[in-house]
Amino acid sequence: MLMLGIETSCDETAAALVESTADLERPWRIRSNVVASQVEIHREWGGVVPELASRQHVRDICGVVERALAEGGAAWREVGAVAVTEGPGLVGSLLVGVSFAKSAAWALDVPVVPVHHLAGHIESIWLAHGNVPLPAIILVVSGGHTSLYLVPKAGEYRLVGRTRDDAAGEAYDKVAKLMGLGYPGGPLVDALSVEGQAARFPLPFTRLTHPDRNAPDRDHRFDFSFSGVKTAVLRHVRLRQQELGVTALPDQDVRDLCASFQYTVVETLLRRTFKAARWFEAASIGIAGGVSANRLLRAEAVRRGAQARVPVFVPPLALSTDNAAMIAAAGLRAHAAGRIGAPDLNAVPNLVLHANSEERPPPRP
Amino acid sequence: MRALALDTTTPAGSVAVIEDARLLAELEGDRTRTHTERLPAEIAQVLAQAGVARQDLDLLVVATGPGAFTGLRIGLAVVQGLAMALDRPAIGVSALDALAWSARAPEGGAASMAVWMEASRGEVFGATYTFGPDTRDPVPDAAPVVGPPAQVLADWAAWLPAGTVFVGDAARRHADLIGASGRFTVHPAHPLLAGALAHIGRLRALAGQAGPPHALQPLYVRRPDVELERERRAQLVPPTP
């Protein structure tokens, strides 16, 4: 089965061809993976402008799909199904991909397979590394999402924690903006933090109150919050501006603040992830999403995994930032399970990943 | 030549199939559901009515706008997906052109026409057309505009010939304003546009204007709010009251 994947949930127009293989350990093979990034358009505005993103998707989608077919060496008639991100995301952006995918699939007389964007990110681990030991704890961390999923068996996703406010990548963008560094913030803060001293500006770790604070494990979740650490950075910036009587902080201050912010965010992400892995006795850990490109997060995750004797899987950058190969892979999984789209398929901007994802996670095995 | 046309510039929209100059089927969309929900199902429906298989289509035509931005993009994306997967040429046609064409055809009519479409925010999209005796393909006199109806009318009044016929949903709504000068009249027609789009698209395809769907672009007329807001802030554009 050759799956054409289409992803337009935010500011990347992406198309890819992924085929199923006979190899049980590596069920999918990438034939092509094409992404047209809009980052240059949105940099001017300091963030993604939904209307401009939608306009660009319409400009790019034909060329991106055409290249995915050409690079994959496939003709349209070889496409067995079309997988598309149905949500969550920016509605105007999603609608371009969903409308295109539905009509292309109908023209070919093949099924359209709706895919949850985060299911795509989770499956990027399987796509890059083949089957990983189960159960697995997967951290999906990007500009729009910070969620922890338990995968008890392949293709089953249970939400066990998520951010209650900003996504981690969003916090990076906001911190970069308030220090005047530019957009997107992740790579900029990551680069500056290399020469910074994290200890100089200590930032607080957010503690979340559980419904029953005396028995937190009774309703166990591994939620995140990043708005507090962002505000703490802002306070340090204001304080230093007053102390020094300047608006632009000295370079070393900026580097030290970046290092402290990065340390705090990475610590928060990994503490929760490893705590969840212990709680669910996970046999492996995966980290997906654009923020997994972060150098400290990658290095620390692997180091702690070795320490805890839990293998840690991080897909290469091309599969961790938004892409369509992961959507095609998740589409192959859904298609094999008989889940295909109805004729009235629509984009769902606040789509929840599977009905069970809002349920309380299962107790410790 | 068999052509399919899709209009998503209004909440209902329409689809039509023609064979050469003959309309085979035309269908109004179901306004109670979104365009994405009912597409391409309504295309399948109109093709079934016309007795045409999707592989037998020679041309795909889409209304480029103006209208709600999201609706325009859905129409384009649907036709882009069809045109690519079927490997057929596509062409975009303005809904303003289709309105001018449908209000004039088939009996001829006024030499000067003006089209007004609802643009929300109390504004109208507008374009003017001059028809000669041999005009088959309507081409606007100038780039379409958007603005408050009284302002658009005032801008046009100096040069728009007396006897100009106004057409479109916004023309009907602002009939009193248009009629006040005594120089202009309002045409009562409110046709489905897909049939007109198909005919215009076919004429233009015969003239070699159809091509791969990559180049299809919505006719937004109105610029994105973020850009307008930035200009206002930079005081390049005076604030609107």
Side-chain angles (χ1 to χ4, degrees), chain B residues 62-88:
Chain B
V62 63
T64 51
F69 294 166
T70 298
L72 306 185
R73 285 189 287 261
I74 291 170
L76 256 76
V78 166
V79 164
Q80 285 176 326
L82 286 179
M84 286 205 76
L86 293 172
D87 193 19
R88 295 292 188 276

Side-chain angles (χ1 to χ4, degrees), chain A residues 44-45 49-52 54-55 57-59 61-63 65-66 69 76 91-92 95-109 343-347, chain B residues 33-34 36-41 43-44 47 54-55 69-70 73-74 76-82 84-86 213-214 216-218 220 222-227 230:
Chain A
E44 187 184 337
W45 303 89
V49 180
E51 174 61 21
L52 299 185
S54 304
R55 290 188 175 205
H57 285 306
V58 171
R59 284 190 200 108
I61 193 158
C62 287
V65 169
E66 191 171 65
L69 286 160
W76 275 101
V91 67
L95 281 168
V96 173
V98 170
S99 303
F100 183 99
K102 280 180 77 176
S103 68
W106 176 77
L108 300 171
D109 202 13
D344 64 351
L345 174 67
N346 201 357
Chain B
R33 297 159 69 217
T34 68
T36 302
E37 278 176 322
R38 55 195 158 85
L39 289 170
I43 291 174
L47 284 175
R54 58 199 125 177
Q55 296 82 1
F69 294 166
T70 298
R73 285 189 287 261
I74 291 170
L76 256 76
V78 166
V79 164
Q80 285 176 326
L82 286 179
M84 286 205 76
L86 293 172
H214 308 52
L216 289 176
Q217 274 305 305
Y220 292 113
R222 184 185 271 145
R223 293 169 55 210
D225 285 339
V226 282
E227 289 183 13
R230 181 167 68 178

Side-chain angles (χ1 to χ4, degrees), chain A residues 69-203:
Chain A
L69 286 160
E71 288 182 10
W76 275 101
R77 63 188 150 68
E78 295 167 56
V79 172
V82 182
V84 64
T85 308
E86 66 168 335
L90 301 170
V91 67
S93 292
L94 288 165
L95 281 168
V96 173
V98 170
S99 303
F100 183 99
K102 280 180 77 176
S103 68
W106 176 77
L108 300 171
D109 202 13
V110 300
V112 62
V113 183
V115 170
H116 190 287
H117 182 74
L118 295 188
H121 275 302
I122 293 169
E123 296 296 354
S124 72
I125 311 258
W126 276 255
L127 183 59
H129 302 281
N131 290 338
V132 303
L134 297 172
I137 283 288
I138 311 293
L139 171 67
V140 182
V141 57
S142 68
H145 306 276
T146 305
S147 301
L148 270 174
Y149 282 90
L150 170 68
V151 180
K153 62 178 194 197
E156 195 177 320
Y157 322 113
R158 293 193 194 165
L159 183 71
V160 296
R162 63 176 169 189
T163 183
R164 296 196 186 175
D165 39 60
D166 293 346
E170 189 181 357
Y172 268 94
D173 286 342
K174 288 176 176 173
V175 161
K177 195 172 186 173
L178 69 89
M179 292 197 285
L181 300 179
Y183 171 88
L188 296 165
V189 172
D190 191 13
L192 286 166
S193 68
V194 172
E195 293 167 42
Q197 300 282 336
R200 193 167 151 228
F201 298 108
L203 296 167

